[in-house]
């Protein structure tokens, strides 16, 4: 809900957000000054983006011109912490421009979920019954060699006991959290109870980024939407039917709709 992200004044105008520049891995340097443009582009189904322009020269309270102390630090892989929005990362080298006496850098900061594209899931089979499929471990096989439990989407109260039906290797998101997500400081957050216990979905992953697998294959298989909390670095999932809240409004061409494009 974007209404909850921004702070508004008495005239319903959004208040400026505090933006910090940080080195990789969240090592904050200081507040970033000289921002003349910050165009926010949220997306329901893609990585969030903010387009920035930052001036090289600032003007002091007494009218003296001086170099922006963080200007030269605006570079590839530097991070931004934005109040209420969370963490973002510069994935492409900023471009420098000059217009008259003005010198500035332009760049795009991507939501921190972009870090989930940095590493790939390689050679994992889920619920395929193949010899190397994750569920085919000794403690989970009956006397006929058939799995007692198929892997479900998520186990909230996971166990480290391989004989337990709540063993973490029986939860798809638990597996990703243990073996991939923690490398980037991510963890699993709130998973809709309507999709968490779903079992039996099959996956054969040869080589695919964690972000791509979650937002494409897993989302389609479990009919849910994965969304990313960039403040707390958690991955959450909501059943598609449970998205949003009913407003009891009807939009038609006879009342408020003049044009619609899908």
């Amino acid at each position: 809900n974007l209404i909850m992200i921004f702070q508004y004044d008495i005239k319903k105008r959004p208040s400026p957000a505090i933006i910090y520049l940080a080195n990789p891995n969240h090592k904050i340097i200081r507040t970033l000054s000289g921002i003349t443009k910050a165009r926010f582009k949220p997306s329901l189904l893609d990585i969030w983006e903010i387009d920035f322009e930052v001036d090289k020269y600032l003007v002091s309270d007494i009218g003296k011109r001086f170099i922006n102390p963080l200007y030269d630090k605006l570079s590839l892989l530097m991070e931004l912490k934005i109040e209420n929005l969370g963490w973002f990362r510069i994935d492409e080298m900023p471009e420098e421009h000059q217009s008259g006496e003005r010198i500035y850098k332009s760049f795009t900061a991507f939501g921190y979920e972009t870090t989930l594209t940095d590493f790939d899931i390689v050679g994992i089979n889920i619920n395929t019954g193949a010899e190397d499929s994750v569920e085919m471990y000794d403690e989970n096989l009956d006397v006929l060699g058939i799995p007692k439990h198929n892997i479900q989407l998520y186990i909230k109260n996971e166990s480290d006991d391989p004989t337990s039906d709540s063993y973490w290797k029986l939860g798809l998101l638990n597996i990703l959290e243990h073996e991939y997500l923690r490398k980037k400081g991510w963890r699993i957050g709130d998973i809709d109870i309507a999709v968490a216990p779903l079992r039996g979905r099959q996956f054969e992953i040869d080589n695919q980024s964690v972000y791509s697998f979650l937002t494409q294959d897993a989302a389609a298989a479990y009919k849910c939407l994965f969304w990313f909390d960039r403040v707390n670095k958690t991955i959450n999932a909501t059943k598609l039917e449970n998205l949003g809240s009913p407003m009891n409004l009807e939009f038609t061409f006879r009342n408020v709709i003049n044009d619609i494009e899908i």
Side-chain angles (χ1 to χ4, degrees):
N1 186 344
L2 295 182
I3 298 299
M4 301 300 294
I5 288 177
F6 298 104
Q7 301 295 321
Y8 293 84
D9 62 21
I10 194 171
K11 295 183 178 180
K12 306 295 184 182
R13 297 173 301 190
S15 301
I18 300 174
I19 301 175
Y20 301 93
L21 183 66
N23 288 312
N25 299 318
H26 297 0
K27 297 178 181 178
I28 292 177
I29 303 172
R30 58 178 291 180
T31 304
L32 180 60
S33 302
I35 301 171
T36 56
K37 173 185 175 182
R39 183 183 181 191
F40 178 42
K41 296 187 288 185
S43 173
L44 189 64
L45 299 175
D46 205 350
I47 296 173
W48 284 15
E49 300 179 12
I50 303 180
D51 294 331
F52 283 94
E53 289 184 5
V54 179
D55 281 355
K56 182 174 182 177
Y57 295 101
L58 307 178
V59 179
S60 70
D61 293 338
I62 60 174
K64 185 177 180 180
R65 197 165 181 247
F66 63 99
I67 294 177
N68 188 334
L70 295 184
Y71 186 80
D72 289 338
K73 292 185 180 295
L74 291 171
S75 187
L76 182 67
L77 299 183
M78 294 295 281
E79 298 178 354
L80 297 170
K81 182 181 181 182
I82 303 174
E83 187 180 39
N84 296 328
L85 285 180
W87 288 95
F88 288 72
R89 188 177 73 176
I90 302 174
D91 279 355
E92 300 171 354
M93 185 63 70
E95 296 182 1
E96 188 169 65
H97 311 268
Q98 183 165 1
S99 177
E101 293 186 354
R102 184 192 177 206
I103 299 174
Y104 66 97
K105 284 183 178 180
S106 64
F107 60 90
T108 299
F110 295 87
Y112 215 68
E113 65 272 25
T114 190
T115 60
L116 299 177
T117 68
D118 292 349
F119 51 104
D120 296 332
I121 305 171
V122 179
I124 292 183
N125 292 325
I126 303 289
N127 291 330
T128 65
E131 185 177 345
D132 63 348
S133 196
V134 175
E135 75 280 3
M136 302 293 285
Y137 58 92
D138 292 342
E139 293 84 355
N140 192 43
L141 300 179
D142 63 18
V143 294
L144 299 177
I146 298 173
K148 301 173 187 176
H149 307 285
N150 283 327
I151 293 173
Q152 65 186 68
L153 177 60
Y154 180 61
I155 300 172
K156 183 175 183 179
N157 298 310
E158 65 176 36
S159 166
D160 289 327
D161 180 5
T163 65
S164 169
D165 60 3
S166 60
Y167 183 42
W168 64 267
K169 278 197 174 181
L170 291 173
L172 174 58
L173 296 181
N174 304 78
I175 295 170
L176 295 182
E177 183 177 44
H178 278 257
E179 300 186 358
Y180 297 94
L181 301 179
R182 292 178 180 177
K183 296 177 183 178
K184 292 291 184 180
W186 287 89
R187 58 186 176 85
I188 300 300
D190 295 325
I191 306 300
D192 196 325
I193 194 173
V195 295
L198 296 180
R199 300 177 182 271
R201 274 61 172 177
Q202 295 184 353
F203 302 97
E204 296 181 30
I205 311 169
D206 293 327
N207 192 319
Q208 190 175 14
S209 77
V210 173
Y211 180 83
S212 175
F213 172 72
L214 287 174
T215 58
Q216 297 178 29
D217 295 6
Y222 293 100
K223 292 182 172 58
C224 66
L225 174 76
F226 288 97
W227 57 276
F228 305 91
D229 181 339
R230 298 155 196 85
V231 176
N232 300 302
K233 292 178 67 176
T234 61
I235 298 173
N236 311 274
T238 303
K239 186 178 180 181
L240 292 179
E241 288 85 347
N242 294 337
L243 283 173
S245 302
M247 297 179 65
N248 297 319
L249 297 177
E250 181 178 356
F251 296 95
T252 73
F253 287 104
R254 294 185 178 183
N255 55 23
V256 297
I257 293 180
N258 294 319
D259 181 60
I260 186 169
E261 180 178 333
I262 300 175

